[in-house]
Amino acid sequence: MAVVGVLDSLAAEERWLYPGFLAMYTAIYCVGQLGLLRRWAWPLRLDGASCLISLAHGTPAALAAAGAILALPPDARGFAAPNTRLQDHVLDYSVAYFTMDLLHYLAFLPGDTLFIAHHVATLFVFVTCRYLVRHGAYALLVLLVLAEVTSLLQNVWTLAGIWRAEKPAAARVYRALSPPFYFIYTVVRGVAGPLFFLKMSLFYLSGQAVDVIPWWVRISWIVVVGTAITVSNLWIWNLWKELFRERKQNMAKKSA
């Protein structure tokens, strides 16, 4: 009920919320960098601060996106449907997060070109939907749910991975979380994501949205989302291979 109340309040809010969301992420980031994580070694502190704002974004964004989709009648959930006020607020919430995290990478990790490219591309898609064409939020919010539904588990797994070399407890958590995280991530990003992406792509390539979403926007969305899904699947595939390699090595050691 609390989530419904928050979504109802957002749907009624007429003010531009992006500045407030960006200020919130900035505050969380500064609290992490200057307070909660100040005793961590600098490389770990950077990863931890990024995880902190990701935690503030992931699950709330997934819940808000799902709520914004379910708030509409089924016949209004279309790939070319106009954005609602609630959908715009949800997009702004994510745009603010990716802005803050992009600034973090540009300032402290400029060599991490893959993450920077991912954030720039994601911002391009969200910003063009929110501020340029003002249609198609339904498709992006479904993708946002699929992208962020594993966020909480992934961030806990990441934080455990950061400390696994130094903390035995973190190593145990990392090992315990890896199989279920990999499995859920594979189902979401390797099955559900591509199926929805195929449906979205077929619609946009059919020309049915030509009056509200220009060709170059639709094609760019398809390219960005398709690339992101491909990279995600390559990432999780490599993690699966590493997991099975480690288990094979451990079994060999035990039998020696």
Side-chain angles (χ1 to χ4, degrees):
M1 293 301 291
V3 174
V4 174
V6 170
L7 292 177
D8 287 342
S9 298
L10 282 175
E13 183 57 68
E14 297 182 359
R15 292 175 298 175
W16 187 39
L17 298 183
Y18 170 78
F21 290 147
L22 184 59
M24 179 197 75
Y25 284 117
T26 303
I28 293 171
Y29 182 84
C30 290
V31 167
Q33 277 279 31
L34 304 176
L36 295 176
L37 313 178
R38 68 183 185 278
R39 298 184 185 277
W40 290 23
W42 182 243
L44 302 183
R45 191 166 149 190
L46 291 177
D47 289 340
S50 182
C51 279
L52 198 61
I53 58 172
S54 180
L55 283 167
H57 170 256
T59 302
L63 291 173
I69 293 167
L70 296 174
L72 294 173
D75 58 354
R77 302 171 194 168
F79 292 112
N83 300 352
T84 67
R85 183 186 300 160
L86 178 56
Q87 289 175 337
D88 282 345
H89 289 328
V90 176
L91 289 173
D92 278 340
Y93 188 76
S94 288
V95 169
Y97 159 71
F98 282 106
T99 301
M100 188 65 232
D101 208 38
L102 177 61
L103 292 174
H104 161 78
Y105 276 96
L106 291 174
F108 301 113
L109 299 165
D112 202 335
T113 54
L114 183 60
F115 264 93
I116 291 173
H118 169 269
H119 283 19
V120 170
T122 302
L123 281 170
F124 169 81
V125 172
F126 282 177
V127 169
T128 52
C129 176
R130 168 69 173 91
Y131 296 103
L132 181 64
V133 299
R134 305 187 69 85
H135 287 73
Y138 163 75
L140 301 190
L141 293 185
V142 172
L143 292 169
L144 182 62
V145 172
L146 294 174
E148 299 298 343
V149 71
T150 58
S151 177
L152 178 60
L153 185 58
Q154 182 172 349
N155 278 294
V156 174
W157 172 83
T158 299
L159 289 170
I162 290 172
W163 285 102
R164 62 174 170 159
E166 301 180 30
K167 306 286 186 181
R172 289 193 295 271
V173 171
Y174 182 85
R175 288 194 298 270
L177 287 181
S178 290
F181 166 58
Y182 296 174
F183 175 76
I184 296 171
Y185 191 98
T186 300
V187 171
V188 173
R189 302 288 187 100
V191 180
L195 288 175
F196 183 82
F197 170 69
L198 177 61
K199 184 178 180 181
M200 181 191 86
S201 299
L202 291 174
F203 178 88
Y204 286 143
L205 291 173
S206 72
Q208 296 182 63
V210 67
D211 294 332
V212 292
I213 305 177
W215 270 105
W216 69 270
V217 174
R218 280 175 283 149
I219 296 301
S220 64
W221 287 3
I222 290 171
V223 171
V224 169
V225 174
T227 302
I229 290 175
T230 301
V231 172
S232 294
N233 279 283
L234 289 174
W235 179 72
I236 197 65
W237 172 249
N238 287 329
L239 288 176
W240 276 117
K241 288 196 298 184
E242 181 181 347
L243 176 67
F244 286 122
R245 183 168 55 250
E246 289 178 355
R247 292 196 169 184
K248 186 177 180 179
Q249 290 173 351
N250 290 335
M251 291 176 62
K253 289 178 181 179
K254 289 179 181 179
S255 61

